[in-house]
Amino acid sequence: MIPILDSKRQYAKIGKEIEKEVIEVLASGSYILGKHNKALQSEFSNFVGTKYSVGLNSGTDALHLALRALDIGRGDEVITTAFTFVATASAIGLAGATPVFVDINPDTFTIDANKIEAAITPKTKAIIPVHLYGQAAEMDKIMDIAKRHNLKVVEDCAQAIGAEYDGQKVGSFGDFGCFSFYPTKNLGGMGDGGMITCNDENLYNRVLALRNHGGAIRYYHDELGVNSRLDEIQAAILRVKMPYINEWNEKRRENAYRYNEMFAKYPEILTPQEADNTYCVYHQYTIRIENRDEVHKLLQENGIGAMIYYPVPLHLQKLHKSLGYKEGDLPLTEKDTKMVMSLPMFPEITPEEQQTVVDMVVKCLNMTKQAV
């Protein structure tokens, strides 16, 4: 069995460091917004290149509170991609706004910046580019569009910590950057967690209040807020992992290049593309193939932990039926969601395991062709 991710291997290397810090937190009696939260926020800002960071209990809350802090709500529209995890659009809905979906660049799976302006209406207030699978969206074009149309930009960086566009880390371009520490992420905790980044002090203070029941001062509440604090134990765990993130991302890139070389003689298998001006961190290594569902089923039966992220684009989900989208509205998104499949990708995967994955993908693809 070769899993899509093997977190046990990572734990085998740094588990003792993590256990030491967790036990220290348990013994300290300080479990909410303690020293590790404060230190992690500072370390995270230094890493991303922003003035401020706020620890939250999930990447979803980061997106939701970013929109709330920008006063985006009922009657407003937010442009984003339909090729993403549902949380991107859910955050828009939770804020009371309406998502407007734009097609993708099929090579990078990210929003096609050239199609954004056509979706802008008088109700448009923001753009949420998603740096999917660890690949940065076209932030120069997106920021230019936002500036010319007076729109806010909230980056969904849930899968892309450390990714870069033109040498600048994602999460530092827009009004907010939103990160997830879900255990499967490149920098994952051992439970839920998230972080929001920004450079504006007023927006920073607004998020601090919103995450704490809408009040900057204890027991004084100025607006409707939520309870969304990064757990102190998770902050301690993430601080142990932070010094390793560059090394882990580099290993992911090496593994991606190795996959590319192994698949090079199989033109029917489309490997992921990385734009020249980006630094992809390969949260997922995602290929495109015909007969995807049949190949995926055979891989699962043969012990290869391939996954489909995501089989149904958001504009065709039942959740968004009331928006009136129909099949064919986003043809490139719809085509890729029928073809994409992510293969085992983590820093510790061995070349031998990768070769096994490649051989099995080819074998299963050939089996589906013969069955036709």
Side-chain angles (χ1 to χ4, degrees):
M1 173 67 182
I2 303 176
I4 189 78
L5 168 72
D6 191 348
S7 57
K8 293 179 181 178
R9 299 188 201 185
Q10 185 184 94
Y11 186 76
K13 293 184 177 181
I14 63 172
K16 295 299 181 183
E17 295 178 71
I18 289 173
E19 290 167 8
K20 177 179 178 294
E21 295 300 327
V22 169
I23 290 171
E24 182 183 294
V25 172
L26 295 176
S28 73
S30 179
Y31 306 136
I32 303 294
L33 300 183
K35 69 174 187 179
H36 288 291
N37 256 278
K38 184 177 180 180
L40 178 65
Q41 290 174 169
S42 176
E43 292 160 3
F44 201 85
S45 288
N46 290 336
F47 178 80
V48 174
T50 57
K51 292 181 180 179
Y52 307 105
S53 294
V54 181
L56 303 168
N57 72 4
S58 69
T60 305
D61 269 5
L63 290 163
H64 173 213
L65 296 187
L67 294 172
R68 286 282 312 279
L70 293 169
D71 291 320
I72 293 169
R74 193 169 303 280
D76 297 333
E77 294 178 349
V78 179
I79 295 173
T80 191
T81 168
F83 198 161
T84 179
F85 182 57
V86 68
T88 309
S90 295
I92 298 170
L94 288 169
T98 301
V100 174
F101 298 113
V102 168
D103 217 343
I104 59 166
N105 177 331
D107 293 326
T108 63
F109 307 115
T110 60
I111 190 169
D112 187 340
N114 295 318
K115 296 178 179 177
I116 290 176
E117 283 193 279
I120 295 174
T121 74
K123 296 181 179 180
T124 306
K125 294 297 187 295
I127 307 167
I128 300 184
V130 180
H131 307 299
L132 195 72
Y133 302 149
Q135 171 67 51
E138 296 178 283
M139 292 311 299
D140 56 347
K141 294 181 180 179
I142 292 170
M143 295 307 298
D144 177 65
I145 292 168
K147 183 177 181 181
R148 287 189 285 106
H149 293 272
N150 194 28
L151 303 177
K152 304 299 184 182
V153 175
V154 176
E155 297 177 69
D156 185 337
C157 313
Q159 300 181 2
I161 182 171
E164 297 178 5
Y165 187 88
D166 275 344
Q168 182 177 340
K169 283 188 170 59
V170 300
S172 64
F173 288 89
D175 296 274
F176 284 112
C178 301
F179 296 81
S180 169
F181 299 135
Y182 189 74
T184 60
K185 297 298 190 288
N186 291 29
L187 179 64
M190 293 179 175
D192 282 311
M195 188 76 77
I196 199 167
T197 56
C198 68
N199 286 306
D200 185 290
E201 185 176 6
N202 290 329
L203 292 178
Y204 165 70
N205 287 327
R206 183 86 183 276
V207 173
L208 286 177
L210 284 169
R211 78 164 179 180
N212 192 35
H213 299 286
I217 302 173
R218 195 173 190 181
Y219 302 131
Y220 290 81
H221 309 282
D222 303 317
E223 61 180 319
L224 184 65
V226 299
N227 176 13
S228 181
R229 301 179 292 244
L230 179 62
D231 185 84
E232 182 70 3
I233 288 178
Q234 296 303 328
I237 292 168
L238 291 164
R239 288 193 68 208
V240 172
K241 292 188 172 189
M242 272 290 293
Y244 295 96
I245 188 60
N246 286 330
E247 174 189 340
W248 291 339
N249 281 344
E250 274 298 305
K251 287 183 177 179
R252 285 175 177 270
R253 288 172 61 80
E254 291 172 11
N255 294 337
Y257 299 154
R258 188 177 297 112
Y259 267 139
N260 288 346
E261 291 174 358
M262 291 176 174
F263 280 121
K265 57 184 176 181
Y266 305 106
E268 68 273 30
I269 299 171
L270 303 178
T271 54
Q273 302 296 306
E274 181 177 359
D276 292 338
N277 59 338
T278 64
Y279 179 91
C280 181
V281 295
Y282 292 97
H283 171 62
Q284 302 293 345
Y285 182 87
T286 303
I287 62 172
R288 288 176 289 169
I289 55 170
E290 300 292 340
N291 307 328
R292 190 272 314 278
D293 291 344
E294 294 89 342
V295 174
H296 178 249
K297 183 175 183 293
L298 288 170
L299 287 173
Q300 295 282 353
E301 291 172 354
N302 284 276
I304 304 299
M307 296 288 288
I308 299 172
Y309 307 106
Y310 302 94
V312 181
L314 294 186
H315 69 295
L316 298 180
Q317 294 276 357
K318 184 178 180 180
L319 167 68
H320 295 125
K321 186 177 181 179
S322 63
L323 298 180
Y325 288 97
K326 61 184 182 301
E327 194 165 347
D329 284 345
L330 303 177
L332 299 177
T333 296
E334 292 165 32
K335 180 180 179 181
D336 273 5
T337 52
K338 291 181 173 69
M339 296 180 68
V340 293
M341 183 172 63
S342 298
L343 303 179
M345 168 57 77
F346 47 95
E348 300 82 9
I349 193 172
T350 67
E352 293 75 20
E353 287 174 319
Q354 288 186 269
Q355 188 64 63
T356 298
V357 171
V358 171
D359 292 343
M360 191 58 69
V361 169
V362 173
K363 178 181 178 180
C364 292
L365 180 57
N366 288 334
M367 289 172 65
T368 65
K369 290 179 179 179
Q370 294 168 5
V372 175

